[in-house]
Amino acid sequence: MEAKSQLLFSTLFLSFVSLHANTLQTYVVQLHPHGVTSSSFTSKLHWHLSFIEHTLSSEEDPSSRLLYSYHSAMEGFAAQLTRSELESLQKLPDVIAIRPDRRLQVQTTYSYKFLGLSPTNGGAWYESQFGHGSIIGVLDTGIWPESPSFDDHGMPPVPKKWRGVCQEGQSFNSSNCNRKLIGARFFTKGHRVASTTVSPNIIQEYVSSRDSTGHGTHTSSTAAGTSVSMASVLGNAGGVARGMAPGAHIAVYKVCWFNGCYSSDILAAMDVAIRDGVDVLSLSLGGFPLPLFDDSIAIGSFRAMEHGISVVCAAGNNGPLQSSVANIAPWIATVGASTLDRRFPAIVRMADGGLLYGESMYPGNQFSKTEKELDLIYVTGGDGGSEFCLKGSLPIAEVRGKMVVCDRGVNGRAEKGQAVKEAGGAAMILANTEINLEEDSVDVHVLPATLVGFAESVRLKVYINSTRRARARIIFGGTVIGRSRAPAVAHFSARGPSLYTPTILKPDVIAPGVNIIAAWPQNLGPSSLPEDNRRVNFTVMSGTSMACPHVSGITALIRSAHPKWSPAAIKSAIMTTADGNDHFGKPIMDGNKPPAVFAIGAGHVNPEKAINPGLIYDITPDEYVTHLCTLGYTKSEIFTITHRNVSCHENLRMNRGFSLNYPSISVIFKHGKKSTMIRRRLTNVGSPNSIYSVKVTAPEDVEVRIKPQRLIFKYVNQSLIYRIWIISRKRMTKDRMSFAQGQLAWVHSGNSSFYRVQSPISVTWK
């Protein structure tokens, strides 16, 4: 009997192994761009197909396995392969690397005013002509082209350099493009083969560039939406809606679907966008950090940078976890999220007279009906998730007609309100937990509701437990601007230090990403829930996804004002002019404390200063390659990223003491090292005959020496080098990592100009 059992187990195990080996999975295959085998084929496509043909054991058509053929962002292809076919492919000549397809996730009426942009004061909008001539490529969930934010009234003609198309598809045709939305494409092959089950979401997914979820419409309009008067969300936050670069053109590349965004689709979009002629690529998506040679976005963006395209990415929403920052390549502008000084107060008045501060965008201007005092209930116990107000978890008999307390977490914030509504509840208090602390991301709820911070939620629960019949009401206060300190670091914004490239400080900057109001599609209600039948042109969202297009739009403004600047020069202008203080002149805060540089990078974006930075730190593609050598990357890893055959030994011998000319400074002391010398090169893009003097705030336990102390620029575009000696005075303790931070600034004060070109300094002891 035992022998039969073992035989049965062995048979089942072998069957499982065989099934697993024959299961198709998507892989991204990178090839040598000058492969020795390529000359035998009439086209790159046929060359790519030949690799698949070599691996197939049957007469199967290799084109049936091919998803994409890449040429610009990378040389290679995406294909479906079995495990045995993968092993066979790895042995073929000209195959550089093979990576499994990865799934990533997507991560305004006022923010342009908050950032100081004005159509009348002759500042950044005036100098850049509102971004005239720049093309922003947005990789996201698509677009709702009928939104008033994408109207092309007053837009200039499509730039002659544009080579893109308006791809037709489901509920989307070529007439949906115009002089604002000049191109649209969609990429579904990686998603389609990975998604074997149909999404349970009842919202229709359009197999076209049309947006089904709203995220892409929101980000596109934040970057470059045109002016829309009398914009609001059900009466809240009324005003004129504008993107950061309202005169720029938009090209949409739909790579994200209900089940996520697959790296094979993203790489295909970047590949095409480079050829289409975009000036800026905006990617409000990502995950956790990866080594650069294993990161499709890093690899594709290197090629984009070589073509003069600026790539701007979200830092991710995994904060405040240390080293959670994603999209860490130094040639990418990595953007964290900050708050605005706009609030939507919705105060909870408890029956004992206590007040709890909360925020909400419900119910617009119709306040009076919702301010009735109600019985208050917090349903706990059992394993149904009632404390989180999961769908179907709330007992109708207990919650009907009451105000229900729901803890943050597990399901979406707006979903909790829908669960309360379905159970007969009359209102909701959304209570932050210790994870969320005082984060105040608001929603357009489907019933009267407010969000309270963690400290307030503790007080609320103490009150509920202190009385036999707890009661409360919500007092909605509309929209309040300018009374609260801002910007501050968003609690969810991903933090450094960078896990794989700690010598580069990430994120680079922070930008508005909390409670951002921007365009919204007409297939969804403002809560984005399928049950929500309200329809609006604008709604509110939060995330580094919202921060990213702010910087993409600002990048387009600088590009229009300085069309010959490199992506590195544009990023330098944004970083060296960023603010460390809030609008009250006090240090930007991260919760209840000043932020570490790992939270804000160089600071908060200031487009009015960035358009005219005085000096810039420029970086060439060759310098990025040398930087990769300093990281200890192997020859094959560097080739994977750059398509360059480099001898690091020779490269570093010719560049002794090399440090990347980055606008921020990050130093790591380990193995008892006490000092280091760094070189930086500044290029004058301000006034001729300018003298800059250095000012240093040294990190604690660190001495900083600068030579020379003054930089004298005689003419525009002149470059000068300075050296920084960073000397540790810290007494080290074993097995304890510590950090310190400071700042270096070059200051010029002339008769008609003032420039302050500043860089954060980060020091780490390991």
Side-chain angles (χ1 to χ4, degrees):
M1 182 69 184
E2 185 177 339
K4 287 184 178 180
S5 297
Q6 288 179 341
L7 178 62
L8 178 61
F9 173 80
S10 299
T11 304
L12 288 171
F13 177 76
L14 289 172
S15 299
F16 172 78
V17 171
S18 175
L19 178 64
H20 181 70
N22 290 316
T23 300
L24 291 176
Q25 184 178 343
T26 302
Y27 294 92
V28 176
V29 181
Q30 189 167 355
L31 304 176
H32 195 296
H34 310 293
V36 294
T37 60
S38 64
S39 59
S40 305
F41 298 90
T42 56
S43 70
K44 289 292 183 71
L45 174 60
H46 287 98
W47 182 42
H48 295 171
L49 284 169
S50 72
F51 287 90
I52 303 174
E53 189 173 12
H54 271 95
T55 64
L56 297 181
S57 57
S58 65
E59 297 298 317
E60 187 177 353
D61 182 1
S63 63
S64 67
R65 299 283 197 90
L66 182 72
L67 301 182
Y68 295 109
S69 179
Y70 306 123
H71 310 290
S72 300
M74 186 191 80
E75 186 64 56
F77 58 90
Q80 287 198 287
L81 303 167
T82 65
R83 177 65 61 82
S84 59
E85 290 165 352
L86 169 67
E87 293 170 355
S88 174
L89 188 63
Q90 288 172 326
K91 300 173 184 176
L92 295 179
D94 296 332
V95 174
I96 301 302
I98 303 177
R99 294 180 293 278
D101 204 6
R102 287 192 174 89
R103 185 174 67 173
L104 306 179
Q105 298 293 339
V106 294
Q107 290 273 353
T108 102
T109 56
Y110 178 66
S111 58
Y112 67 89
K113 292 181 182 177
F114 181 75
L115 293 172
L117 291 168
S118 169
T120 59
N121 70 357
W125 271 352
Y126 178 82
E127 288 189 40
S128 67
Q129 295 183 295
F130 297 86
H132 177 94
S134 289
I135 303 170
I136 304 175
V138 182
L139 275 65
D140 214 297
T141 64
I143 197 166
W144 194 268
E146 295 85 2
S147 166
S149 290
F150 309 121
D151 181 58
D152 67 352
H153 178 73
M155 284 294 296
V158 176
K160 292 182 180 179
K161 67 177 181 179
W162 178 244
R163 298 181 294 277
V165 300
C166 195
Q167 183 181 0
E168 297 196 340
Q170 184 181 1
S171 301
F172 197 102
N173 56 51
S174 58
S175 65
N176 287 124
C177 291
N178 55 23
R179 295 191 307 274
K180 166 59 76 173
L181 175 61
I182 63 172
R185 298 180 188 261
F186 61 99
F187 302 83
T188 185
K189 294 176 182 177
H191 167 266
R192 176 173 48 80
V193 298
S195 304
T196 53
T197 58
V198 178
S199 170
N201 200 316
I202 63 173
I203 299 171
Q204 179 185 8
E205 177 70 279
Y206 300 100
V207 185
S208 70
S209 299
R210 184 170 291 278
D211 189 4
S212 304
T213 64
H215 192 274
T217 299
H218 200 279
T219 57
S220 296
S221 66
T222 301
T226 194
S227 175
V228 181
S229 59
M230 295 189 294
S232 72
V233 185
L234 299 176
N236 282 300
V240 179
R242 288 188 180 97
M244 293 296 100
H249 305 279
I250 298 170
V252 166
Y253 300 85
K254 183 175 179 178
V255 297
C256 297
W257 308 82
F258 279 131
N259 290 332
C261 326
Y262 287 84
S263 56
S264 57
D265 295 329
I266 295 166
L267 197 57
M270 297 179 80
D271 195 64
V272 172
I274 292 170
R275 296 196 297 272
D276 282 349
V278 301
D279 298 303
V280 182
L281 279 173
S282 184
L283 289 81
S284 288
L285 46 91
F288 279 97
L290 293 168
L292 301 183
F293 55 83
D294 208 21
D295 185 344
S296 293
I297 292 177
I299 293 167
S301 61
F302 186 90
R303 212 76 63 248
M305 175 272 300
E306 287 186 305
H307 283 81
I309 300 168
S310 294
V311 181
V312 185
C313 293
N317 297 339
N318 293 313
L321 184 66
Q322 183 175 300
S323 296
S324 57
V325 62
N327 296 315
I328 56 177
W331 46 87
I332 290 174
T334 310
V335 187
S338 65
T339 63
L340 298 171
D341 62 356
R342 178 177 59 191
R343 295 287 185 264
F344 306 97
I347 311 299
V348 178
R349 180 186 291 275
M350 297 178 289
D352 66 354
L355 298 175
L356 305 175
Y357 180 80
E359 293 197 45
S360 178
M361 292 196 81
Y362 184 96
N365 291 323
Q366 319 300 315
F367 302 147
S368 55
K369 301 178 191 175
T370 60
E371 295 182 0
K372 179 181 176 182
E373 188 172 272
L374 300 169
D375 286 339
L376 193 57
I377 185 169
Y378 177 46
V379 184
T380 58
D383 55 4
S386 57
E387 68 271 29
F388 296 108
C389 299
L390 301 183
K391 188 178 180 68
S393 68
L394 297 171
I396 295 175
E398 290 186 44
V399 305
R400 185 185 298 278
K402 296 179 181 178
M403 184 179 296
V404 183
V405 178
C406 302
D407 286 337
R408 285 276 299 272
V410 185
N411 57 339
R413 299 186 301 267
E415 288 178 49
K416 298 174 189 292
Q418 181 64 32
V420 172
K421 185 178 180 180
E422 289 175 358
M428 175 181 71
I429 300 175
L430 191 53
N432 274 3
T433 64
E434 196 169 5
I435 295 173
N436 314 108
L437 294 178
E438 308 312 310
E439 181 199 316
D440 57 353
S441 300
V442 304
D443 298 277
V444 190
H445 289 287
V446 296
L447 82 173
T450 186
L451 168 71
V452 299
F454 176 60
E456 303 286 61
S457 72
V458 171
R459 288 182 56 207
L460 173 66
K461 291 168 187 175
V462 168
Y463 164 65
I464 292 173
N465 292 329
S466 70
T467 180
R468 293 183 62 185
R469 188 185 181 192
R471 290 176 65 81
R473 71 181 68 203
I474 301 174
I475 304 169
F476 294 95
T479 305
V480 177
I481 292 175
R483 297 184 190 174
S484 53
R485 285 185 61 179
V489 180
H491 184 71
F492 57 76
S493 186
R495 309 303 210 267
S498 172
L499 193 59
Y500 294 103
T501 57
T503 55
I504 298 297
L505 182 61
K506 292 283 182 173
D508 291 306
V509 290
I510 57 174
V514 178
N515 301 335
I516 303 303
I517 294 172
W520 195 244
Q522 288 295 299
N523 68 318
L524 286 172
S527 67
S528 78
L529 296 173
E531 298 89 350
D532 188 355
N533 57 15
R534 299 170 296 177
R535 292 296 179 261
V536 293
N537 282 323
F538 298 89
T539 199
V540 64
M541 296 184 80
S542 296
T544 55
S545 280
M546 285 63 251
C548 170
H550 279 87
V551 175
S552 302
I554 293 167
T555 298
L557 295 180
I558 300 172
R559 172 99 183 186
S560 295
H562 307 286
K564 293 184 179 180
W565 282 13
S566 69
I570 293 172
K571 183 166 74 166
S572 171
I574 292 171
M575 291 176 65
T576 60
T577 59
D579 291 326
N581 291 336
D582 63 24
H583 284 195
F584 283 82
K586 298 178 180 179
I588 290 171
M589 298 297 284
D590 182 5
N592 58 4
K593 64 184 186 301
V597 289
F598 302 129
I600 66 170
H604 193 267
V605 290
N606 186 326
E608 288 296 319
K609 291 180 181 177
I611 205 79
N612 186 15
L615 306 175
I616 50 117
Y617 294 91
D618 208 354
I619 305 174
T620 66
D622 287 344
E623 288 174 311
Y624 286 122
V625 174
T626 304
H627 170 70
L628 295 176
C629 286
T630 68
L631 297 179
Y633 280 16
T634 66
K635 186 175 183 177
S636 63
E637 288 167 347
I638 293 174
F639 193 91
T640 297
I641 300 166
T642 67
H643 281 183
R644 298 185 184 208
N645 202 359
V646 177
S647 166
C648 279
H649 177 76
E650 184 66 20
N651 192 311
L652 294 177
R653 187 184 66 80
M654 295 174 63
N655 294 278
R656 293 189 186 279
F658 175 86
S659 56
L660 189 66
N661 197 43
Y662 211 70
S664 58
I665 298 163
S666 181
V667 172
I668 300 172
F669 289 127
K670 55 184 178 180
H671 308 308
K673 190 174 181 180
K674 290 285 187 179
S675 66
T676 189
M677 189 273 287
I678 296 169
R679 292 182 181 87
R680 286 293 189 267
R681 182 182 69 255
L682 280 165
T683 301
N684 181 25
V685 294
S687 309
N689 301 312
S690 298
I691 300 174
Y692 286 79
S693 300
V694 71
K695 294 186 177 182
V696 176
T697 303
E700 187 177 356
D701 296 322
V702 171
E703 180 184 350
V704 179
R705 301 174 188 169
I706 311 290
K707 288 186 180 180
Q709 296 272 306
R710 294 200 311 165
L711 295 176
I712 303 172
F713 293 94
K714 296 182 179 179
Y715 50 87
V716 177
N717 293 325
Q718 179 184 1
S719 295
L720 295 174
I721 291 173
Y722 69 94
R723 292 172 175 80
I724 315 160
W725 283 265
I726 297 180
I727 304 155
S728 171
R729 303 298 187 195
K730 188 179 184 70
R731 294 183 63 181
M732 289 300 296
T733 56
K734 283 188 176 182
D735 303 323
R736 186 177 176 185
M737 185 183 297
S738 58
F739 308 95
Q741 62 191 57
Q743 188 184 74
L744 177 155
W746 291 96
V747 180
H748 165 70
S749 183
N751 295 330
S752 59
S753 59
F754 175 80
Y755 296 108
R756 183 181 177 89
V757 183
Q758 56 197 28
S759 298
I761 301 173
S762 168
V763 178
T764 302
W765 290 270
K766 286 187 174 181

